[in-house]
Amino acid sequence: MSSELRVVLFVGGVGGAKMAHGLSRCLPPGSLRIVVNVGDDFRRYGLRICPDSDTVLYTLAGRVDPVNGWGVAGDTTTVLDALTGLGDDTWFRLTDRDLATHMYRTQRMADGATLTQATAELARAMGVDIDILPVTDAPVPTRVITSDYGELDFQEYFVRHRWQPEVKFIRYVGAEDARVTTAVAEAIDWATCIVFAPSNPWLSIGPILAVGDIRERLLGRDVPRVAVTPVIGGKAVKGPAAKLMAEQGLAVSARSVAGFYGALLTDFVDDVRNPEFTCDGMNIIQRDTLMLEPADRERFAGEVLGYIGERIR
Ligand code: FO1
């Protein structure tokens, strides 16, 4: 195995963006590529909104709202307030500078650019020199089938209903027929290690792993394939992961997360606060995975890279 660390990180949501930030601080330029979930993407006011991609982008650009973990820090709400004044139900809060991102992307895609190209242009404009790669250029929207409201668009479930409806089933629409982009296929072949961020397995990583032949591509790589737990002490660090596990009849535990990935993993990074467990075919290590402060991101990313570095030496 090559001992050079070339990391492909799979992410969705705020936890994923924090890990991306930590890794970006520890790795030399050109050693990190980030594959983002597109299942959360949707259209609003005619614009293409890509929350997971933008959360990574704003985080790496140092522009993210530090309280929410998404959106632009200190952004104004002139358009949102005007929409509210028109009587619109502004349940999805699109602030002014963030709107410019969506407008740019939507226009570029109307001009014929792919999502991958538009994302790269946005990254360049914001001074981010790390590849942020949508897993596919095809739309693969996540739909959530709930007991109370039937089938919901992902953002309606997540934001409008604050992920409270009971979930019966999750669909990744069009994922089977979608294909990973050339850039993602190349990144997987280039990597000397593959890392799954502490993102929600069913809502962030599941839609990525549902795309076309990505599982076979990952399984075909004889490199460490490592996931980080998003569950600590029987609770999700953020968001609905624990609730979704309970709704599926699973124990709310890191073991259930490891079970979600199964044979895709060679290694699993559990949290020091969790009870130890074993899982066939996986090395399991325990670290302090909580990234409350920006300094924690770099510290934790450094520990994960130190471990992987030893593995591929
Ligand atoms: N999350 C919310 O809880 N409420 C919002 O109004 C909201 C707006 C929003 C706008 C742009 C963006 O990029 C993200 C936004 N998010 C909002 C976060 C986002 O929808 C979710 O956190 C992710 O999709 C889940 O990973």
Side-chain angles (χ1 to χ4, degrees):
M1 276 185 189
S2 159
S3 59
E4 193 193 335
L5 274 173
R6 296 192 298 270
V7 180
V8 171
L9 178 72
F10 288 80
V11 304
V14 174
K18 286 181 177 178
M19 179 132 201
H21 189 223
L23 287 171
S24 75
R25 301 294 297 260
C26 294
L27 284 163
S31 305
L32 175 64
R33 299 183 190 176
I34 299 167
V35 177
V36 290
N37 172 37
V38 298
D40 295 20
D41 296 8
F42 75 130
R43 294 195 87 83
R44 188 119 179 101
Y45 311 115
L47 300 173
R48 173 77 182 257
I49 319 289
C50 302
D52 281 355
S53 168
D54 290 346
T55 297
V56 172
L57 187 60
Y58 294 150
T59 301
L60 294 182
R63 298 180 53 165
V64 80
D65 182 306
V67 176
N68 291 326
W70 47 263
V72 178
D75 208 358
T76 51
T77 57
T78 306
V79 175
L80 195 73
D81 295 342
L83 284 163
T84 308
L86 293 174
D88 187 50
D89 179 358
T90 47
W91 56 270
F92 197 81
R93 294 180 58 77
L94 292 169
T95 54
D96 296 329
R97 283 180 183 75
D98 187 37
L99 273 166
T101 302
H102 310 311
M103 290 169 72
Y104 180 87
R105 175 170 43 228
T106 307
Q107 185 59 49
R108 288 294 294 123
M109 291 178 74
D111 292 343
T114 62
L115 178 61
T116 300
Q117 287 165 341
T119 306
E121 289 170 11
L122 285 166
R124 204 172 312 126
M126 292 186 207
V128 173
D129 61 0
I130 294 168
D131 290 343
I132 300 172
L133 307 173
V135 62
T136 178
D137 281 328
V140 287
T142 299
R143 294 263 161 71
V144 184
I145 293 85
T146 67
S147 310
D148 319 335
Y149 301 93
E151 184 163 332
L152 292 175
D153 171 76
F154 175 80
Q155 296 295 347
E156 284 190 331
Y157 159 75
F158 197 92
V159 173
R160 190 174 207 167
H161 295 288
R162 297 165 196 270
W163 46 268
Q164 290 313 301
E166 186 193 7
V167 176
K168 294 204 296 195
F169 191 66
I170 299 167
R171 294 206 301 140
Y172 311 122
V173 178
E176 253 176 59
D177 297 327
R179 286 288 167 267
V180 297
T181 64
T182 308
V184 170
E186 282 173 5
I188 292 171
D189 290 344
W190 162 90
T192 55
C193 82
I194 286 157
V195 181
F196 297 95
S199 300
N200 187 308
W202 295 275
L203 297 179
S204 295
I205 304 295
I208 294 177
L209 294 177
V211 169
D213 55 350
I214 192 165
R215 277 178 186 272
E216 289 68 35
R217 287 182 185 276
L218 291 168
L219 285 167
R221 292 305 322 281
D222 182 21
V223 296
R225 300 186 300 264
V226 186
V228 180
T229 184
V231 172
I232 302 179
K235 290 189 183 132
V237 175
K238 193 177 194 308
K243 184 169 170 288
L244 284 170
M245 286 164 129
E247 285 163 351
Q248 293 172 80
L250 295 170
V252 182
S253 65
R255 180 197 289 273
S256 297
V257 175
F260 163 86
Y261 287 101
L264 274 179
L265 296 189
T266 56
D267 300 78
F268 186 77
V269 183
D270 193 10
D271 190 85
V272 280
R273 298 160 190 84
N274 289 337
E276 286 184 27
F277 68 98
T278 57
C279 194
D280 278 354
M282 263 180 226
N283 305 304
I284 302 181
I285 60 164
Q286 289 193 317
R287 297 288 184 274
D288 182 353
T289 65
L290 254 190
M291 293 178 278
L292 294 177
E293 302 298 328
D296 298 331
R297 304 174 187 178
E298 199 169 334
R299 188 257 320 142
F300 175 59
E303 288 178 14
V304 172
L305 291 175
Y307 170 73
I308 295 170
E310 285 298 309
R311 288 266 289 109
I312 66 173
R313 208 150 56 100

